[in-house]
Every structure is written in C-alpha cells, then in structure tokens.
Amino acid sequence: MAEICPLCQGPNQCCNGQDKSLGSCWCTEESFPEGIFALVPEEEIRKTCICKACLEKYKRASN
C-alpha cells in the first residue's frame, strides 16, 4: 500500500499518490541518502515512500 512505510510499516504521511489539491508532499522537500534505499524490500522500491521518522532515524545513524 502506498501510504505505508516499507521500513517500519507505519503511515508514511505521503500525499503524492493522493489528490493534488493537497499540494506538494513533505517528501519532495527532503533529501534521501542513497543508502536508505538498500533497506527497502526490492518489490517496494519506487512504489511507496519511506516515512519521515525512518528517514530521520537513518540520517542520525549515518552521522
């Protein structure tokens, strides 16, 4: 499901697959390190967004 984070299975709060009147999604303003995509199951790559909490957790662990 497009609204579920492939890493934590929680809601990803992404609106890109929803009504465009909602505006741009938080994820379009973020930088996703290439390494985070290695954590996503292959069948989920480019099909669902990683949530902001998982993105922030990954960035903190990478520093």
Side-chain angles (χ1 to χ4, degrees):
M1 296 196 322
E3 62 274 354
I4 302 297
C5 175
L7 302 182
C8 70
Q9 305 306 306
N12 59 21
Q13 305 298 320
C14 181
C15 68
N16 280 335
Q18 298 177 10
D19 185 349
K20 297 302 179 203
S21 68
L22 295 172
S24 63
C25 187
W26 69 268
C27 65
T28 60
E29 304 294 322
E30 291 288 340
S31 172
F32 287 79
E34 192 63 35
I36 198 169
F37 298 109
L39 303 175
V40 177
E42 189 173 327
E43 65 275 4
E44 298 292 325
I45 293 176
R46 305 280 183 226
K47 294 182 181 167
T48 184
C49 283
I50 296 164
C51 73
K52 191 165 193 148
C54 286
L55 174 61
E56 295 303 320
K57 182 179 175 181
Y58 182 86
K59 286 180 176 181
R60 280 192 307 273
S62 297
N63 288 333

